[in-house]
Amino acid sequence: MKKYVLDLTVRAVEHISQKHVLIRLTDSERLPDMVPGQFVEVRVDDSPATFLRRPISICYVDRAVNELWLLVAMVGDGTRRMGRLQAGDRLNCLLPLGNGFTMPGGDGASAATISRPLLVGGGVGVAPLLYLGAELKAQGVEPTFLLGARTGDDLLMLSYFNKYGRVCVTTEDGTEGERGFVTQHSLLAQEHFDMIYTCGPTPMMKAVARYARQQSTDCEASLENMMACGLGACLCCVEKTTEGNLCVCKDGPVFHISRLMWND
């Protein structure tokens, strides 16, 4: 897929929590084709401490209004500066990068059999699952979302996810949904799914992968390794796989769990 370097225009910045912003970007031309699971590398200007671009998952693409959504966790100087963007500002983006999730009817052994997908996310890792859920529903496949966070205040964009499927929630303190981790939700003991997609903290994804293996269910994970270049040149995002060391930015970020060395 062709890659572009674009100066996109900020249409709106929504502060959805104390730590997170949803940035809506547009362009005078039609945005490039993008698939769920891909990401962009954002250049942060006027930040002496930020030398490299920041990788941000593609949260959603709204073709009707030509918008790209980025969900940003403000954890460092670069992302905090992104959180201070205002409508009309410009943001330089390299996109689209990486490989996306397997879709019904697409390539891959499991593609034709996806009819009951479960999308499991934690923290800001829920970001790519929104676009995935929207695209699944557009293809006539109703997704179930299982989203986890530390507290109810940390749950992100629930009203958006509700537009595309059933939403189940866990919080570690029990302030919303079921108490515990996503892999402890009662849903997993009551229902069977034929495909699981997951993105979030690595320990969470490894637990989801263990559950998927126990159920003999196909599962894809979107890895969040540090990605500096996004093109497979700097090798800082290398992941050990059954095929040797692979660059998450170029060969992923989405991997079927059978390719990952997650058997511990």
Side-chain angles (χ1 to χ4, degrees), residues 236-258:
C236 75
C237 65
V238 165
E239 178 78 15
K240 188 176 181 181
T241 75
T242 57
E243 303 156 41
N245 291 331
L246 297 178
C247 290
V248 169
C249 68
K250 180 174 64 69
D251 301 303
V254 177
F255 291 88
H256 193 282
I257 60 170
S258 62

Side-chain angles (χ1 to χ4, degrees), residues 6 41 52 71 104 109 141 161 167 173 180 198-199 204 218 232 235:
L6 301 175
E41 287 275 359
L52 301 172
L71 178 60
V141 178
F161 284 102
V167 177
D173 65 356
T198 185
C199 185
M204 183 210 78
D218 277 311
L235 305 181

Side-chain angles (χ1 to χ4, degrees), residues 29-205:
E29 303 292 331
R30 182 183 182 276
L31 290 169
D33 291 334
M34 293 169 265
V35 299
Q38 291 185 305
F39 67 100
V40 307
E41 287 275 359
V42 176
R43 190 183 73 201
V44 182
D45 297 324
D46 302 319
S47 174
T50 309
F51 301 103
L52 301 172
R53 289 178 179 264
R54 291 294 181 260
I56 308 291
S57 295
I58 293 171
C59 181
Y60 187 69
V61 179
D62 190 335
R63 289 293 176 196
V65 293
N66 201 42
E67 280 187 355
L68 163 65
W69 297 7
L70 302 180
L71 178 60
V72 179
M74 297 180 289
V75 295
D77 185 71
T79 49
R80 284 194 295 269
R81 286 179 181 269
M82 291 176 65
R84 293 196 290 269
L85 290 168
Q86 297 181 356
D89 289 342
R90 306 282 277 183
L91 195 63
N92 185 271
C93 298
L94 172 62
L95 77 164
L97 299 172
N99 299 302
F101 295 104
T102 296
M103 300 295 291
D107 296 331
S110 64
T113 62
I114 299 173
S115 61
R116 298 201 71 228
L118 177 66
L119 284 57
V120 186
V124 76
V126 303
L129 302 184
L130 181 64
Y131 188 27
L132 173 61
E135 290 295 286
L136 286 169
K137 187 169 184 179
Q139 295 188 29
V141 178
E142 186 80 13
T144 295
F145 300 98
L146 177 53
L147 310 177
R150 290 189 175 90
T151 73
D153 290 339
D154 296 323
L155 290 165
L156 303 173
M157 303 182 69
L158 292 186
S159 62
Y160 293 97
F161 284 102
N162 274 306
K163 296 178 181 178
Y164 303 111
R166 177 176 48 152
V167 177
C168 302
V169 166
T170 66
T171 51
E172 293 179 29
D173 65 356
T175 51
E176 191 161 346
E178 295 188 11
R179 179 189 292 272
F181 303 121
V182 288
T183 48
Q184 297 170 323
H185 197 284
S186 59
L187 172 78
L188 300 183
Q190 297 168 353
E191 300 186 30
H192 176 74
F193 300 90
D194 56 29
M195 185 67 181
I196 299 175
Y197 305 94
T198 185
C199 185
T202 299
M204 183 210 78
M205 291 196 292

